[in-house]
Amino acid sequence: MSKRKLSRQQRWRVEKIQAERAERAAKRDARDSDKLAAGEYGPERPGRVIAHFGRTLDVRPEGGGDAVRCHLRANLEGLVTGDRVIWRGREDAEGAIVEGVVVARGERDSVLERPDARGQLKPVAANIDQILIVFAVEPEPHPNLIDRYLVAAEATGIAPVLVLNKIDLLPEAGGPLLELLHRYEALGYPVVATSVAREGGLAPLLDRLAGRTSVFVGQSGVGKSSLIDRLLPDEELRIGALSKDSRKGTHTTTTARLYALPDAEAGELIDSPGIREFGLGHLDEQQVAAGFTEFRDLLGRCRFRDCRHRHEPGCALLEAVERGEVHPERFASYRRIVDSLEP
Ligand code: GDP
Ligand code: ZN
């Protein structure tokens, strides 16, 4: 909000608009209550939000079927794509569900947040099982970049997976990139190699996606669009999934969308430009340290409780680097990330 002072006239107008808006919402809610009470809406059913546009959402009924355009009860705020919900549908004369109302939100297993224009963290998607961090043979990744993504992923509590893309460009002998991958594998991170340019190049990725809800993140140019184009080749899969209302609507989708991969068991993707740009958000030093999985058992073992793992005597981390238990490049990476944090 701009700091500019509003004139009394302007302030009055703003207040009036806000009051009108609140009144409309209250009316809509009262209408919904009437309809719910009158039994115009069918029984409560489970579903999942596949897209949202302000106060309207597209909900896919559990077990499949066309998405239904739903609105929210006034007491429900902040639903995001991927949320599990309870909704009720209203049928037309032919018995087709024409619209619905979401009456409750289910528990969330996980939430992905992004800073909004004011720098405040806002949820953008929920119930994600894994964050696929895509990097490629070209453009060559800086090892520090992978660590940044891993730290950001660890902070969300959502399991990260490393996806090395464009392996058709790897040298015969494999090269240092594969060695780097083995290092992450040894740390316990799942690693998947992919290529859209190679026959069968997506098989390991498809295995990884099966039965889970995933998001793709990564630097521009690593091949995310190419991967998603191949996973969802059919335009119908992308557009068709939306409710009829959303399809005709003017909603251009910068909002996160949930896509079901073609096979029933193949898994689901949540995607949006904002999600792809997911990176190191507002983290503090402790979160960065906690984002290095091999530090976890060491943190809290330093002699000083407020140890910053720089030059302190009795630092458990520095000693572990010394003993070769923590890779020096990972430790250097940790330092670089901490040094880059805004004070
Ligand atoms: P995004 O920015 O992450 O979405 O990346 P794009 O999907 O736009 O891909 C960037 C470039 O990499 C494009 O020129 C693609 O043609 C190319 N590319 C994508 N996947 C592969 C691959 O598996 N092998 C090769 N050699 N090139 C690829
Ligand atoms: Zn320490």
Side-chain angles (χ1 to χ4, degrees):
M1 201 60 180
S2 103
K3 291 245 159 67
R4 183 172 60 94
K5 270 221 176 89
L6 298 177
S7 71
R8 201 191 297 169
Q9 172 97 17
Q10 285 168 324
R11 201 161 47 227
W12 178 81
R13 273 188 50 79
V14 167
E15 280 166 9
K16 184 161 177 289
I17 290 166
Q18 280 169 349
E20 283 168 357
R21 210 177 274 160
E23 197 180 322
R24 274 201 303 275
K27 266 198 194 136
R28 198 165 46 223
D29 202 47
R31 263 202 311 273
D32 283 344
S33 296
D34 289 348
K35 283 187 191 166
L36 286 167
E40 280 187 44
Y41 285 98
E44 294 190 344
R45 307 166 54 172
R48 196 161 183 206
V49 177
I50 65 162
H52 78 121
F53 316 95
R55 293 199 61 82
T56 55
L57 313 158
D58 276 358
V59 172
R60 191 188 57 204
E62 195 170 286
D66 285 343
V68 177
R69 167 58 71 88
C70 291
H71 45 276
L72 288 171
R73 298 304 308 273
N75 57 351
L76 270 181
E77 290 291 339
L79 283 172
V80 294
T81 296
D83 264 324
R84 288 185 279 263
V85 293
I86 301 295
W87 65 286
R88 298 174 61 179
R90 195 172 61 76
E91 296 181 355
D92 64 9
E94 275 95 55
I97 295 180
V98 286
E99 61 161 344
V101 55
V102 173
V103 295
R105 189 191 87 192
E107 289 282 313
R108 285 175 177 163
D109 299 331
S110 64
V111 192
L112 198 68
E113 295 178 315
R114 295 254 313 152
D116 66 6
R118 290 172 178 180
Q120 222 119 39
L121 281 180
K122 285 275 156 62
V124 287
N127 300 314
I128 296 160
D129 299 313
Q130 55 185 2
I131 296 179
L132 303 178
I133 301 169
V134 185
F135 58 108
V137 181
E138 285 270 356
E140 192 189 339
H142 198 291
N144 191 234
L145 184 80
I146 295 175
D147 294 328
R148 278 177 177 270
Y149 277 112
L150 284 173
V151 165
E154 294 280 0
T156 66
I158 303 169
V161 174
L162 295 178
V163 178
L164 173 60
N165 196 21
K166 310 195 199 178
I167 51 163
D168 54 293
L169 302 178
L170 271 181
E172 281 289 327
L177 206 44
L178 282 193
E179 271 166 44
L180 185 66
L181 270 195
H182 291 317
R183 192 195 296 162
Y184 287 104
E185 231 167 1
L187 290 173
Y189 290 114
V191 166
V192 177
T194 49
S195 167
V196 294
R198 190 180 275 178
E199 180 82 23
L202 293 193
L205 178 65
L206 291 170
D207 274 352
R208 193 66 222 177
L209 293 170
R212 300 180 170 103
T213 301
S214 310
V215 295
F216 284 93
V217 305
Q219 224 188 341
S220 155
V222 295
K224 297 181 298 299
S225 319
S226 311
L227 283 174
I228 293 172
D229 284 351
R230 281 285 290 276
L231 293 169
L232 302 166
D234 204 339
E235 187 69 6
E236 193 56 20
L237 281 173
R238 303 187 189 200
I239 309 299
L242 287 180
S243 71
K244 289 200 188 70
D245 278 349
S246 302
R247 269 178 268 171
K248 10 179 233 265
T250 51
H251 306 295
T252 49
T253 47
T254 51
T255 172
R257 292 261 315 268
L258 183 140
Y259 304 96
L261 295 177
D263 284 334
E265 302 299 308
E268 301 184 298
L269 299 180
I270 297 185
D271 190 36
S272 77
I275 287 176
R276 290 185 189 189
E277 283 163 19
F278 165 86
L280 202 59
H282 299 256
L283 299 177
D284 59 35
E285 215 166 309
Q286 278 75 30
Q287 284 173 305
V288 174
F292 282 75
T293 169
E294 71 274 45
F295 295 2
R296 234 159 265 173
D297 290 341
L298 299 165
L299 297 169
R301 295 214 183 152
C302 302
R303 185 179 307 161
F304 302 111
R305 279 192 67 183
D306 58 352
C307 185
R308 296 187 71 199
H309 325 302
R310 289 174 188 269
H311 317 282
E312 292 87 344
C315 171
L317 265 185
L318 290 170
E319 285 169 4
V321 176
E322 222 28 53
R323 284 196 305 271
E325 287 165 17
V326 165
H327 199 288
E329 272 183 28
R330 283 274 286 175
F331 190 70
S333 196
Y334 158 72
R335 277 278 179 73
R336 227 171 293 141
I337 295 173
V338 166
D339 289 343
S340 73
L341 295 176
E342 285 160 28

